[in-house]
Amino acid sequence: MFTVPELGYAYDALGENISADIMQLHHDKHHQTYVDKLNAALATHPELGEKTLVELVGNLDAVPEDIRTAVRNHGGGHYNHSLFWKVMSPNGGGEPTGALLDGIVAKYGSYQAFTDEFTAKALAVFGSGWAWLQPDLSIVTTPNQDVPFTSGQPEPVIGLDVWEHAYYLDYKNKRDDYVKAFWNVVDWNFAAERYAQPAHV
Ligand code: MN
């Protein structure tokens, strides 16, 4: 049985960037629903009980066809949100340092150019989805709750939820303002650790 991880900070800790109302609803209700529906699907296939979340969502071909869509959507939702809570911090913002900053500057020219490109791709996601910084420092997007890796491949460094449920209460239709606020709370220390040593969330 999978469970929703603790948020790690108070609902209101991200201040005006993301409100307590959104954080509580997003973590306690949306994420919980993904976990509940993932568990319900897996309960019909006890033989999958030994598999990790990454093994499940990273290799959907190995998931029985009758629950493949449920695992893709709700398992992906569980993975993506579990990472997302850690990508943000009340002490976040600023710029990355060390090898991560060096890599970003080498690839994009500057931190600003990197955030401009990430922001543009996040805004270009049609409907619901995610924007990701990959371990090779490329920027990709996925629709719905699809994860940006397959089993055995390194997992993303950071991800940004651009579903409307992530920002509508605060920002209404203005996804650009939400993405701007996201940069104020990104935990670059956490990102640097994942960049240096890829690890499961
Ligand atoms: Mn979400």
Side-chain angles (χ1 to χ4, degrees):
M1 291 280 283
F2 291 103
T3 56
V4 177
E6 292 291 317
L7 194 52
Y9 41 84
Y11 296 122
D12 64 358
L14 302 181
E16 292 183 351
N17 296 293
I18 303 180
S19 70
D21 284 348
I22 284 188
M23 293 304 293
Q24 187 162 13
L25 189 68
H26 201 177
H27 177 270
D28 292 7
K29 303 297 182 186
H30 288 284
H31 191 166
Q32 186 68 55
T33 298
Y34 294 121
V35 166
D36 290 347
K37 291 187 173 179
L38 173 64
N39 286 334
L42 294 174
T44 67
H45 283 275
E47 77 277 11
L48 299 175
E50 297 298 308
K51 292 205 176 204
T52 67
L53 181 61
V54 167
E55 287 169 343
L56 287 166
V57 298
N59 190 6
L60 290 166
D61 289 344
V63 173
E65 197 275 334
D66 63 316
I67 62 166
R68 193 172 297 153
T69 298
V71 170
R72 179 177 184 170
N73 291 338
H74 303 299
H78 180 32
Y79 177 91
N80 295 341
H81 289 85
S82 297
L83 177 61
F84 187 51
W85 310 134
K86 293 185 176 181
V87 162
M88 300 185 292
S89 165
N91 305 312
E95 296 188 8
T97 55
L100 179 55
L101 179 63
D102 293 345
I104 284 173
V105 171
K107 194 168 182 80
Y108 296 95
S110 67
Y111 171 74
Q112 184 64 49
F114 155 73
T115 58
D116 287 349
E117 183 163 337
F118 190 104
T119 298
K121 288 191 172 176
L123 297 181
V125 172
F126 181 75
S128 299
W130 291 75
W132 307 99
L133 176 63
Q134 293 282 64
D136 66 358
L137 301 184
S138 62
I139 300 162
V140 303
T141 63
T142 57
N144 304 311
Q145 294 295 353
D146 288 357
V147 300
F149 62 88
T150 54
S151 189
Q153 295 300 305
E155 298 162 42
V157 177
I158 65 170
L160 171 61
D161 188 344
V162 294
W163 283 56
E164 281 192 347
H165 71 220
Y167 60 88
Y168 202 83
L169 281 180
D170 287 352
Y171 295 101
K172 301 295 188 287
N173 58 311
K174 295 186 171 129
R175 188 189 284 179
D176 53 340
D177 288 344
Y178 161 67
V179 177
K180 200 177 294 178
F182 171 68
W183 298 119
N184 297 331
V185 296
V186 173
D187 185 345
W188 288 115
N189 292 325
F190 173 74
E193 287 171 16
R194 285 180 69 78
Y195 178 61
Q197 183 146 20
H200 300 320
V201 293

